[in-house]
Structure formats: structure tokens, C-alpha cells
Amino acid sequence: MLRESVRALAEAKIAPFAAEVDEEGRFPQEALDALVANDLHAVHVPESYGGAGADALATVIVIEEVARVCASSSLIPAVNKLGSLPVILSGSEELKKKYLGPLAKGDAMFSYCLSEPDAGSDAAGMKTKAVRDGDFYVLNGVKRWITNAGVSDYYTVMAVTDPEKRSKGISAFVVEKGDEGVSFGAPEKKLGIKGSPTREVYFDNVRIPADRLLGAEGTGFATAMKTLDHTRITIAAQALGIAQGALDYAKGYVRERKQFGKPIGDFQGVQFMLADMAMKLEAARQLTYAAAAKSERVAAGGPDEDLTFYGAAAKCYASDAAMEITTDAVQLLGGYGYTRDYPVERMMRDAKITQIYEGTNQVQRIVMARNLP
């Protein structure tokens, strides 16, 4: 029922604007409005803070169905979870009430600030600093590749509080868009997901109350990594949706397109391509859903269940599959697939980022190797 309702909403309210959002590189406001109106913009927020209280699998299905028609729009529910999960995992009760309530209502969005110009895969090498000053912390630094930066009202920011301790000297904070000293760079000009703004975030003597610290000082990196164990699965979900959209379109096309006197879908070479696409997609889906189930059980206080391995495996496998499936969809449409008159070239461009963000697939393989079940 959830899938059917999200799919119907996505096709009616989000799909009609997807090509325009990509072409103009503008934020998908229509999608945000539709998701908020139907309480699908941040379904993961617990009911105790005014949210829908959706479990990890339901969250995956929402993201997947939105991504099937517009990858940029799927980053609204995905990044709202990424940005706010550190608050859910490590924040005080006061911070949870203060920030999760407006998120659940749709009055605010959340972003996640980990990467920096010189700290991408090596996130522990970050340079953004937070210095304690009485009842405040003063933040200075720059974060790069921040999804929905400038649109989001709240930012979970990782910053160094003790430079001697490397990863154990990093702390997590909530920073508000309106805090004095917060500013944003120009939007990046990207290959895909053009409707989701990606910008640098600058912190110039940003003075925030000390109670905006998430957990104890020095626990920020652990919170960041624990967050990614759960949220990599949302990127797998995005990859699934993009791939499903491409496969669905290609299936319809090969039934209609005729060459040599018959639909090209009647040729065995084309049938084998579709079979491989569908097989890879279903394998990715099963792995992603299994990882989501583990995520939910761990979030509910259960044992670890090798979540770090499964989260990395789902993200890595699903994104690689999405890149292969969208590339094959373009091939099946031939010359038409290479034009913007058809959606598969957009899907192919959008799929690429799923192999890169929230940890490159090379890093995922390192993570998997270190956490073999």
C-alpha cells in the first residue's frame, strides 16, 4: 500500500517536473510541497517528535519510489534522514524536541556537513574547528559537497575540538542557517542530480550555544560513522529507484520501437539485456531490503547484526547495478536514448553520483573488507 500510494503521488506531482528541474538546475519545490503535504518528506522521524515513525524499510520504499521518477527529489527524504539521524542517535532530549519537531512538520530541512575540500574519503582529516568559549562553541572552517545547502535550515556539522586526537577529537554540532557567520558558496555545476543544490558551507566565527553539541566532546566521528551505517541504505534505495525508472522506460520502448518489421523487444539480444537488467536490479533490491531490516533492528536496540558490512554492500552493489542498468537503458533506446527528449539519459547521469557520495564504492569495499561477517 505504501509503495502504491507513493508511486501514485510521485507520478502525479513529481514526474511532470523532473525534466524541467534537471534542465533548469532548480530546486524541485513542487516535489517538496507534495511530499510535505503527504507527510513523506521525513518519514523516519519518530512519532514521539511529531513524525510518521516509519521504519527503515518503509523509508527505503519512499525514497525508491520518488527516485524512480526524479532522483533530485528523492534527496529530500534521504538527506533529511542523513542530516537528522545524528540528532536521533546522539542528541539530548531537548535537542530532539527542538529540531525534530519542525523537521517532522515540514517547516525545516536538515543537511549533513562532513566532507571538506581536503577531507573527502579521509573524513577524519577535516580541518573545521570548534573552540569552547564559556557556554558557547566558536566554529571556523568550510564544508564541501553539502546536499541541499542553502535550502536546509539545520545542519549537522562535524568539527575538530581536539586536534591531537584525530578521529577521537571530532565533535558533532547542530548549526542553524540563520546563525551569524554561516554562509554558502555558489551551487556546483554537476553532471546529474541538478535539482538538488550542492554548495560549500562556510563557518566564520559562528558562535553557537554549547548545548548544541551532540553527545560528548570527541564522539562526533563515531556518530558520523554510525549514521552512515544506516543512511548508506538510503543511497542504495535511491539507486534502486533510478534503475527501476530506467528499466520500466526501456521495457515500454522496446515493445513500441519497430525495426526489421517487428518490435525490437522480439530480438533475443534485446531480451537478454533486459533479463540481465532485471536480475541485477532484483539482486540489489533484496540486498538493500535485508540491510534495511538489519538497520531497523539495530536502531531498535538489537545487536549489531553486521550492519556496517550490509549497509556498505547494499550501497555499493545497488549503485554499481544502477549505473549498468541506466547505461543499458540508453543503449536500448539507441540515438533517442542519447537525447534529452527521453528520460533515460538523465537517469544515467543521476545514477553516477550514487557510486560516489556517502562514501565512494572504493571506500565501501574497504569498509566491507574490514567488516566481513
Side-chain angles (χ1 to χ4, degrees), residues 207-289:
R207 196 175 174 80
I208 62 168
D211 63 7
R212 295 226 215 123
L213 175 70
L214 297 174
E217 250 194 37
T219 63
F221 194 75
T223 295
M225 295 302 105
K226 200 182 288 185
T227 296
L228 293 175
D229 282 347
H230 292 279
T231 59
R232 280 177 178 139
I233 299 163
T234 67
I235 301 306
Q238 185 188 36
L240 289 181
I242 295 168
Q244 186 70 62
L247 177 59
D248 289 349
Y249 199 90
K251 278 193 306 189
Y253 180 85
V254 300
R255 289 190 194 114
E256 302 296 324
R257 173 70 170 168
K258 289 187 176 168
Q259 291 290 278
F260 307 102
K262 60 181 176 180
I264 61 171
D266 287 353
F267 292 101
Q268 192 179 59
V270 169
Q271 292 171 358
F272 281 8
M273 282 179 74
L274 287 164
D276 281 341
M277 292 158 76
M279 176 176 64
K280 288 172 193 167
L281 177 55
E282 195 51 40
R285 181 174 283 116
Q286 295 300 329
L287 180 56
T288 301
Y289 288 9

Side-chain angles (χ1 to χ4, degrees), residues 156-351:
T156 294
V157 180
M158 309 298 161
V160 178
T161 44
D162 187 342
E164 304 296 310
K165 293 185 179 171
R166 196 163 156 80
S167 66
K168 289 188 168 57
I170 291 169
S171 303
F173 303 87
V174 178
V175 177
E176 298 179 10
K177 180 180 177 179
D179 288 334
E180 194 173 338
V182 175
S183 60
F184 304 95
E188 303 286 351
K189 293 174 180 166
K190 307 189 299 282
L191 174 72
I193 58 162
K194 293 183 178 184
S196 179
T198 306
R199 301 166 79 173
E200 287 190 326
V201 184
Y202 306 117
F203 305 98
D204 183 13
N205 289 322
V206 177
R207 196 175 174 80
I208 62 168
D211 63 7
R212 295 226 215 123
L213 175 70
L214 297 174
E217 250 194 37
T219 63
F221 194 75
T223 295
M225 295 302 105
K226 200 182 288 185
T227 296
L228 293 175
D229 282 347
H230 292 279
T231 59
R232 280 177 178 139
I233 299 163
T234 67
I235 301 306
Q238 185 188 36
L240 289 181
I242 295 168
Q244 186 70 62
L247 177 59
D248 289 349
Y249 199 90
K251 278 193 306 189
Y253 180 85
V254 300
R255 289 190 194 114
E256 302 296 324
R257 173 70 170 168
K258 289 187 176 168
Q259 291 290 278
F260 307 102
K262 60 181 176 180
I264 61 171
D266 287 353
F267 292 101
Q268 192 179 59
V270 169
Q271 292 171 358
F272 281 8
M273 282 179 74
L274 287 164
D276 281 341
M277 292 158 76
M279 176 176 64
K280 288 172 193 167
L281 177 55
E282 195 51 40
R285 181 174 283 116
Q286 295 300 329
L287 180 56
T288 301
Y289 288 9
K294 287 177 185 290
S295 166
E296 187 57 32
R297 290 194 291 268
V298 170
D304 177 67
E305 290 206 50
D306 302 314
L307 177 61
T308 302
F309 173 87
Y310 277 92
K315 188 270 188 193
C316 184
Y317 189 85
S319 58
D320 281 352
M323 197 68 236
E324 292 170 15
I325 291 163
T326 54
T327 302
D328 282 348
V330 169
Q331 188 70 22
L332 286 169
L333 266 71
Y336 293 116
Y338 204 68
T339 70
R340 292 192 190 175
D341 296 331
Y342 293 80
V344 289
E345 65 83 33
R346 181 183 81 240
M347 293 166 176
M348 180 179 166
R349 287 185 288 107
D350 289 343

Side-chain angles (χ1 to χ4, degrees), residues 40-105:
L40 293 167
H41 60 290
V43 291
H44 68 285
V45 178
E47 289 178 14
S48 49
Y49 303 104
D55 63 26
L57 182 55
T59 305
V60 158
I61 290 168
V62 170
I63 293 165
E64 184 185 348
E65 287 302 324
V66 175
R68 181 174 163 272
V69 301
C70 179
S72 294
S73 298
S74 71
L75 283 163
I76 295 169
V79 175
N80 275 338
K81 180 167 183 176
L82 174 64
S84 64
L85 196 59
V87 178
I88 294 171
L89 291 173
S90 304
S92 66
E93 194 56 35
E94 291 74 26
L95 284 182
K96 288 177 185 175
K97 283 178 182 157
K98 181 175 181 181
Y99 292 111
L100 298 178
L103 174 64
K105 274 193 254 175

